[in-house]
């Protein structure tokens, strides 16, 4: 069984100078910029990022690589304006991603599950449509299906976030410029219930389609872009970086972000975009610590891409936040945390290797080989006893049992504990850098970010229809 031979060329190394040609967020900000208007806006969302997730990812990077995360580095150097944000929806103090994203996208609080459809049927114009009407290029980049709640919340009005096949059709009518992430099955006639060939429809409409890393790299901006790099959600970063074939074919969030910024910034009138680390939320639901922390670092590399661009450009407002907390993880024993430094696979990947025929010894060997954890005999036996195949013990593609049993066992070996498996009502981190950041108060309700962005870019707000 192969051990961690890919790690030294793995995720953390791939975030360095050579991989993407930038300092990934460590560039000195443009302190001489006199811009008062944000020509460009980059809105970064680490979906489901509890404060503990941000903290532990920073600790991992500092302990392993000896440097701050890009987000914390801007705090440490006092470059970013910092705030706390209330994340409630119109019908709950505990929001879901659709309502949370719609607060930013539509400028009002809507019920959980809704995409820019208010409690009384209001249909606020989604913010990327407003920026497009102002002559700017617009787009979204995500590690989950591009029709998922968070990217869709900046683009469409839809009563239910579950209507992803319908959202895919709506994207054909919207004049977006770049859309990259997962979710190919929602566009492919082979998987769609109506058998519609949306991929062909997008080609006929003049879109360039990219379905792997190389095709993405070759995009030139001469036509709008639809990039679909997985059937559903994209692989967890830790799994991608330690699988040579997967890494060769699948772009990272930072690589997608860099290409999207390159394409969108060709518009002399500027651009507005959303970048989402969507798999952070999926990992939190599953209590998958290796997946969570390395996807947060994958997101942090995308933060670096945005901050480097903004530091050179001087006319770009960068917003870094999350839509809500999730599972509230925390580190409770620091002398065990180092096990995460050399892990090379997510819990999800580990569990997908198992079947009902595995012995406790085989389970223990697998986990030691890819996560460096030495399970006790009774712990391995508990996993074998529990394992019966998929039964919904998890969310968003992380439903192989026993996710949460493995997480509770893993806590004894990593020092990471969890408060649950769902969203929380916690106030969350929010940071801004660039023109308009001076208007960020120390505390803000989520829906007020909508007008803050429009005002920063001097783009008029449009009315909504009922």
């Amino acid at each position: 069984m192969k051990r961690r031979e890919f790690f030294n060329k793995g995720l953390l190394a791939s975030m360095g100078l050579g991989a993407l040609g930038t300092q990934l967020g460590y560039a000195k900000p443009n302190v001489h910029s006199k811009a008062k208007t944000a020509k460009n806006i980059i809105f970064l969302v680490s979906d489901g990022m509890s404060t503990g997730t941000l903290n532990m990812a920073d600790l991992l990077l500092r302990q392993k690589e000896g440097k701050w995360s890009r987000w914390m580095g801007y705090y440490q150097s006092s470059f970013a304006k910092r705030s706390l944000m209330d994340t409630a929806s119109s019908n709950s103090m505990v929001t879901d991603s659709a309502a949370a994203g719609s607060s930013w996208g539509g400028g009002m609080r809507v019920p959980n599950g809704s995409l820019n459809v208010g409690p009384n049927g209001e249909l606020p114009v989604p913010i990327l449509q407003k920026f497009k009407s102002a002559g700017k290029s617009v787009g979204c980049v995500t590690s989950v299906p591009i029709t998922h709640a968070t990217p869709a919340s900046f683009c469409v009005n839809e009563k239910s976030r579950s209507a992803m096949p319908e959202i895919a059709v709506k994207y054909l009518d919207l004049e977006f410029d770049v859309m990259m992430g997962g979710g190919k099955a929602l566009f492919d006639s082979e998987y769609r219930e109506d058998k519609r060939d949306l991929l062909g429809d997008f080609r006929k409409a003049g879109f360039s389609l990219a379905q792997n890393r190389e095709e993405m790299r070759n995009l030139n901006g001469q036509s709008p872009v639809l990039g679909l790099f997985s059937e559903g959600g994209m692989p967890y970063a830790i799994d991608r970086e330690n699988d040579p074939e997967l890494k060769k074919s699948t772009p990272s969030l930072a690589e997608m972000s860099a290409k999207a910024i390159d394409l969108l910034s060709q518009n002399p009138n500027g651009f507005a975009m959303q970048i989402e680390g969507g798999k952070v939320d999926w990992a939190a639901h599953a209590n998958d610590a290796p997946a969570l922390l390395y996807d947060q670092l994958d997101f942090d590399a995308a933060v670096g891409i945005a901050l480097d661009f903004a530091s050179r450009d001087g006319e770009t407002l960068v917003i870094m936040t999350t839509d809500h907390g999730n599972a509230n993880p925390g580190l409770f024993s620091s002398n065990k945390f180092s096990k995460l430094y050399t892990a090379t696979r997510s819990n999800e990947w580990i569990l997908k290797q198992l079947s009902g025929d595995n012995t406790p010894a085989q389970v223990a060997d697998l986990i030691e080989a890819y996560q460096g954890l030495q399970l006790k005999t009774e712990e391995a036996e508990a996993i074998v006893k529990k394992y019966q195949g998929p039964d919904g013990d998890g969310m968003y593609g992380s439903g192989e049992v026993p996710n949460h049993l493995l997480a509770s066992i893993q806590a004894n070996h990593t020092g990471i504990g969890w408060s649950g498996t769902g969203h929380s009502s916690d106030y969350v981190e929010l940071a801004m850098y660039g023109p308009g950041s001076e208007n960020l108060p120390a505390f803000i309700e989520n829906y007020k970010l909508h007008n803050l962005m429009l005002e920063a870019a001097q783009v008029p707000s449009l009315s909504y229809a009922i």
Side-chain angles (χ1 to χ4, degrees):
M1 185 175 296
K2 294 184 179 180
R3 298 177 75 87
R4 295 177 290 277
E5 65 265 41
F6 298 120
F7 180 74
N8 290 333
K9 296 181 180 180
L11 178 59
L12 297 180
S14 78
M15 293 177 180
L17 180 62
L20 294 167
T22 77
Q23 295 183 58
L24 290 172
Y26 298 113
K28 184 178 179 180
N30 186 347
V31 295
H32 301 296
S33 174
K34 302 297 183 182
K36 294 183 179 180
T37 300
K39 177 182 175 182
N40 312 305
I41 291 184
I42 304 175
F43 194 106
L44 294 125
V45 185
S46 178
D47 198 300
M49 185 197 75
S50 294
T51 301
T53 301
L54 181 63
N55 294 352
M56 287 190 293
D58 182 72
L59 288 171
L60 195 159
L61 194 60
R62 281 198 279 152
Q63 295 297 316
K64 180 64 183 178
E65 296 289 305
K67 57 188 177 185
W68 297 86
S69 64
R70 288 81 182 172
W71 190 329
M72 290 294 102
Y74 262 55
Y75 280 1
Q76 193 242 3
S77 302
S78 300
F79 293 143
K81 187 76 178 290
R82 185 183 183 190
S83 177
L84 284 177
M85 181 170 62
D86 179 352
T87 62
S89 68
S90 69
N91 64 346
S92 177
M93 288 185 289
V94 181
T95 190
D96 80 328
S97 295
S102 296
S103 71
W104 307 324
M108 66 181 297
R109 284 179 166 164
V110 304
N112 284 351
S114 172
L115 291 166
N116 295 308
V117 178
N120 298 309
E122 302 95 333
L123 298 174
V125 178
I127 196 164
L128 289 191
Q129 295 187 30
K130 294 181 179 181
F131 282 120
K132 187 68 178 179
S133 295
K136 296 183 182 296
S137 294
V138 298
C140 292
V141 170
T142 182
S143 58
V144 298
I146 61 172
T147 53
H148 218 256
T150 303
S153 71
F154 270 40
C155 301
V156 302
N157 303 92
E158 184 65 54
K159 189 171 184 179
S160 173
R161 60 178 288 176
S162 299
M164 290 198 290
E166 291 78 12
I167 293 169
V169 174
K170 287 187 175 184
Y171 282 175
L172 185 62
D173 297 325
L174 296 175
E175 295 181 353
F176 66 80
D177 299 279
V178 175
M179 196 71 74
M180 292 186 188
K184 179 184 174 183
L186 293 153
F187 297 79
D188 193 329
S189 60
E190 181 180 350
Y191 299 99
R192 288 182 59 89
E193 287 189 12
D194 62 6
K195 301 303 179 183
R196 180 172 177 178
D197 180 17
L198 266 185
L199 294 175
D201 290 343
F202 272 88
R203 288 190 181 95
K204 291 176 184 176
F207 282 79
S208 295
L209 267 61
Q211 299 183 59
N212 57 55
R213 193 180 185 205
E214 187 62 27
E215 289 178 358
M216 183 199 74
R217 286 177 166 177
N218 291 333
L219 294 169
N220 56 24
Q222 294 180 0
S223 57
V225 170
L226 178 66
L228 299 168
F229 306 111
S230 62
E231 300 297 331
M234 294 181 70
Y236 282 122
I238 191 171
D239 298 327
R240 179 194 71 232
E241 291 297 322
N242 291 287
D243 182 326
E245 291 301 316
L246 200 56
K247 183 176 180 179
K248 181 179 179 180
S249 63
T250 308
S252 69
L253 189 66
E255 289 173 325
M256 289 190 290
S257 300
K259 172 56 73 170
I261 290 172
D262 176 59
L263 298 174
L264 293 170
S265 61
Q266 295 177 25
N267 185 342
N269 294 320
F271 66 90
M273 69 179 300
Q274 180 203 95
I275 299 171
E276 183 203 18
K279 294 288 296 261
V280 172
D281 185 64
W282 294 23
H285 279 300
N287 289 181
D288 190 333
L292 180 83
L293 296 185
Y294 284 94
D295 257 70
Q296 180 63 32
L297 290 178
D298 203 48
F299 173 80
D300 193 66
V303 167
I305 292 291
L307 290 173
D308 277 353
F309 175 83
S311 71
R312 297 190 303 269
D313 172 73
E315 297 181 281
T316 300
L317 173 63
V318 177
I319 302 170
M320 302 167 281
T321 191
T322 183
D323 47 358
H324 50 72
N326 189 341
N328 284 5
L331 180 62
F332 297 94
S333 178
S334 62
N335 61 343
K336 300 177 181 180
F337 189 57
S338 60
K339 295 294 185 182
L340 273 297
Y341 304 167
T342 53
T344 60
R345 296 292 182 176
S346 66
N347 291 359
E348 179 182 271
W349 186 92
I350 293 287
L351 291 169
K352 284 184 176 180
Q353 312 311 305
L354 301 180
S355 69
D357 298 328
N358 290 110
T359 66
Q362 289 172 326
V363 171
D365 286 347
L366 184 72
I367 292 173
E368 182 179 4
Y370 291 98
Q371 295 184 341
L373 309 181
Q374 295 180 329
L375 267 58
K376 298 177 182 178
T377 300
E378 57 268 28
E379 292 173 330
E381 288 175 344
I383 292 173
V384 171
K385 184 177 180 180
K386 174 73 174 177
Y387 191 85
Q388 297 174 348
D391 74 349
D393 180 25
M395 296 181 69
Y396 302 140
S398 298
E400 311 300 322
V401 297
N403 269 310
H404 301 117
L405 173 62
L406 177 56
S408 65
I409 292 171
Q410 200 175 50
N412 299 323
H413 300 269
T414 64
I416 295 176
W418 308 80
S419 68
T421 61
H423 296 177
S424 67
S425 65
D426 300 2
Y427 299 149
V428 299
E429 287 282 343
L430 168 63
M432 292 186 181
Y433 167 75
S437 61
E438 68 277 4
N439 296 321
L440 178 66
F443 181 85
I444 190 170
E445 293 89 351
N446 51 9
Y447 68 93
K448 293 182 179 178
L449 284 185
H450 181 89
N451 283 338
L452 194 152
M453 286 187 278
L454 295 175
E455 290 167 3
Q458 295 186 7
V459 170
S461 180
L462 303 177
S463 62
Y464 60 79
I466 296 179

